[in-house]
Amino acid sequence: MRTRTDPGVAVVIEDDDTIGRLLDRALRGNGYRSSWYRTGHSGLAGARREQAEVVLLDLGLPDIDGVELARQLRAELPELLLIMLTARGEEIDIVSGLDAGADDYLVKPFSLTVLLARLRAHLRRRPSPDTGTPLTIADLTVDPAARRCTVAGHELLLRPKEYELLETLVLNSGAAVSREDLMAKVWDENWFGSTKTLDVTIASLRRRLQLASETSGATRLPTLQTLRGHGYRLDPPDDREVTTARDQAGQSPSPQPID
């Protein structure tokens, strides 16, 4: 299950080897599935093939004008997050790039930290699909329209921030979510204080899920993983672990064939 808050598929179109390699490495290090192309035509083909969700586009390409390529990308992938990267810093160049369909524009040289922060900000602001549709992971269901959670059909009572934190993690099931993104989404985009409140809320959410599991008898709940130095990830249950847990609880395992 994925949403726009999950980084997803990124394509770098940059003919400079040093810059292209740095961008590709930075994107991969921040959870994106990134591909790097050195020409406009190969980049366009790659973005089409991979259904790119993010494109970092250098305007100074050897084979095609970057502004024209931006127009093609926007026409074929209307939901694309398109960031232009260029040494052209004149106002008319920036306006041309934005008019061609770019969501943002960075003038070289730029900071990788700033670029990644801008990507996160743009992706946070994009609406999530199926906002009102209940989301189910094994025995856990989150209903955004009703702001209601259930575990194996039993309602899970949560405080407001606990609910919002769980909903955010469920929407990004299986993907790493940074502490910064969780703070911005659940608390405040401009939060500058301690993030200890996040740890406290995570600990409380874990206790409530454990208690709900014991009360309802649910054996298939997602696991809330701590990613030290980064954030958290909600992992769907492993059916093999569930089977083992049921066997240990007293249910007879299926008979095995005898060789």
Side-chain angles (χ1 to χ4, degrees):
M1 185 181 300
R2 289 195 60 261
T3 69
R4 285 294 181 185
T5 56
D6 174 28
V9 179
V11 164
V12 178
I13 307 176
E14 168 64 67
D15 67 325
D16 185 287
D17 283 354
T18 300
I19 297 175
R21 189 174 294 110
L22 283 173
L23 290 172
D24 185 54
R25 187 180 303 154
L27 289 168
R28 290 175 182 272
N30 282 268
Y32 295 84
R33 286 170 284 151
S34 176
S35 300
W36 167 33
Y37 300 92
R38 292 172 175 82
T39 67
H41 288 113
S42 63
L44 177 60
R48 288 169 174 161
R49 181 175 60 252
E50 299 165 34
Q51 288 296 292
E53 294 161 281
V54 175
V55 168
L56 304 183
L57 172 63
D58 175 32
L59 291 188
L61 296 170
D63 60 333
I64 185 173
D65 179 69
V67 172
E68 177 56 35
L69 179 54
R71 291 194 181 97
Q72 291 186 52
L73 286 165
R74 178 58 66 207
E76 297 186 28
L77 300 167
E79 299 300 317
L80 177 71
L81 173 56
L82 178 58
I83 309 292
M84 286 185 172
L85 312 173
T86 182
R88 308 175 196 171
E90 297 297 326
E91 182 175 338
I92 188 171
D93 294 318
I94 297 174
V95 171
S96 296
L98 296 174
D99 284 347
D103 294 292
D104 208 342
Y105 196 110
L106 283 177
V107 178
K108 299 176 183 178
F110 53 84
S111 162
L112 280 176
T113 302
V114 171
L115 169 62
L116 292 169
R118 289 198 184 186
L119 286 175
R120 289 195 299 269
H122 281 293
L123 291 171
R124 277 200 303 268
R125 294 186 184 106
R126 293 199 164 196
S128 300
D130 302 326
T131 304
T133 303
L135 311 166
T136 298
I137 304 176
D139 289 335
L140 174 68
T141 298
V142 174
D143 185 349
R147 285 181 64 90
R148 183 171 180 261
C149 298
T150 58
V151 172
H154 295 73
E155 186 161 5
L156 175 62
L157 298 178
L158 299 173
R159 298 187 181 96
K161 293 303 181 187
E162 292 169 346
Y163 169 80
E164 291 164 17
L165 183 58
L166 181 59
E167 180 185 300
T168 300
L169 291 167
V170 168
L171 282 166
N172 293 280
S173 174
V177 187
S178 71
R179 297 176 65 86
E180 293 79 8
D181 283 350
L182 286 171
M183 292 300 300
K185 178 69 175 177
V186 178
W187 278 268
D188 179 20
E189 186 174 353
N190 299 308
W191 180 277
F192 292 109
S194 169
T195 60
K196 185 65 176 176
T197 184
L198 172 59
D199 301 319
V200 171
T201 308
I202 286 284
S204 176
L205 184 56
R206 279 194 174 115
R207 288 194 298 270
R208 291 180 185 274
L209 286 170
Q210 178 61 34
L211 181 59
S213 175
E214 295 169 357
T215 302
S216 66
T219 58
R220 302 185 67 249
L221 283 180
T223 304
L224 185 49
Q225 303 286 358
T226 299
L227 307 177
R228 297 194 181 281
H230 183 74
Y232 297 92
R233 185 183 68 240
L234 193 69
D235 287 340
D238 187 327
D239 286 337
R240 291 170 298 178
E241 295 176 359
V242 171
T243 300
T244 301
R246 285 175 175 164
D247 293 344
Q248 291 174 348
Q251 292 191 14
S252 299
S254 300
Q256 298 298 314
I258 298 174
D259 295 330

